Amino acid sequence: MTMKTIHASDFAGYAAATIYEAAGKRGDMSPAIRPVGDACKLLGRAFTVRCWPSDGLAFMRAVEMAEPGDVLVIDGGGTDRSTVWGGSATIRAKHRGLAGVVTNGSVRDVATIRELGFPVWAAGICVRGGVANHPGWHGTVISVGDVPVAPGDIITADLDGVVVIAAGSAAEILEKTRAQHEKEQGADERLRNGGSYEDVLRWYQSISKPAG
């Protein structure tokens, strides 16, 4: 039996919260990681980066190593007092077709990020830059926002936050996401038509019960 390949784009159109619920309430990054610019959606495969504290060489190299459509997921090395992303990296990443950046570190040059409309989710904004000496690590399992991220995991983010979809569970989560989306749409439609929360909750619980 041939397994269908799941693409990041298969999750397009679904809210991060819907995917989080479908995944069994797992995979959500810390709410401290928020959108920095004006972009309100991010979706792609993870290219993982771990920086030495206050050293940006790893993310600079990652911009050239990642494939178009990848999301750079950057572990900033445990400090938010220097940046792991900025305007020059944004210009180059957008030119190369990268999908965006998620980091537990800080970023700067926010005006450039906003001007280019490049999706960046970060834990903070900081004026202080670092050095570029240590090569860091690429393509390893890292922890960002209290969630493990492996190369090739699917990253989705919107204004509600960031969710990590483990590559090995993507097919199952996609199926459950579609079902969750239908339930949410059904509930909202009942509310729009004048249904009470009590009525909607009863309906929601009835269709959520296991068969048999």
Side-chain angles (χ1 to χ4, degrees):
M1 181 177 177
T2 303
M3 296 291 290
K4 180 184 176 182
T5 300
I6 302 299
H7 302 282
S9 59
D10 292 326
F11 288 90
Y14 298 114
T18 300
I19 297 169
Y20 160 77
E21 296 290 344
K25 301 183 185 294
R26 296 192 300 270
D28 58 309
M29 285 190 181
S30 165
I33 298 178
R34 304 298 304 156
V36 171
D38 297 328
C40 58
K41 185 71 176 176
L42 179 152
L43 180 65
R45 292 277 183 181
F47 184 96
T48 59
V49 186
R50 183 158 69 94
C51 295
W52 187 263
S54 301
D55 195 303
L57 185 58
F59 81 76
M60 296 175 190
R61 289 183 172 176
V63 171
E64 305 298 337
M65 296 167 65
E67 297 292 331
D70 283 350
V71 174
L72 296 186
V73 184
I74 305 171
D75 177 358
T79 179
D80 60 2
R81 290 293 286 123
S82 65
T83 55
V84 295
W85 194 257
S88 297
T90 297
I91 293 168
R92 181 58 179 159
K94 188 173 179 68
H95 179 79
R96 293 212 59 242
L98 304 190
V101 169
V102 174
T103 180
N104 56 7
S106 292
V107 303
R108 69 179 182 182
D109 302 323
V110 176
T112 301
I113 292 171
R114 287 179 173 168
E115 178 186 351
L116 295 179
F118 189 71
V120 176
W121 269 247
I125 297 170
C126 179
V127 72
R128 182 185 295 175
V131 296
N133 297 320
H134 194 285
W137 300 265
H138 303 92
T140 63
V141 178
I142 59 176
S143 178
V144 172
D146 304 321
V147 179
V149 184
D153 286 349
I154 296 173
I155 308 298
T156 183
D158 57 24
L159 296 179
D160 291 333
V162 184
V163 175
V164 180
I165 304 163
S169 303
E172 177 186 0
I173 293 174
L174 177 60
E175 182 179 351
K176 291 181 177 179
T177 296
R178 289 169 173 160
Q180 177 69 22
H181 179 70
E182 289 184 8
K183 288 192 290 186
E184 292 172 354
Q185 293 291 100
D188 288 348
E189 185 64 23
R190 282 163 172 78
L191 291 170
R192 291 190 185 97
N193 290 331
S196 69
Y197 253 126
E198 185 178 350
D199 293 337
V200 169
L201 285 172
R202 277 200 299 266
W203 168 80
Y204 200 87
Q205 290 165 358
S206 71
I207 65 170
S208 299
K209 290 179 180 177

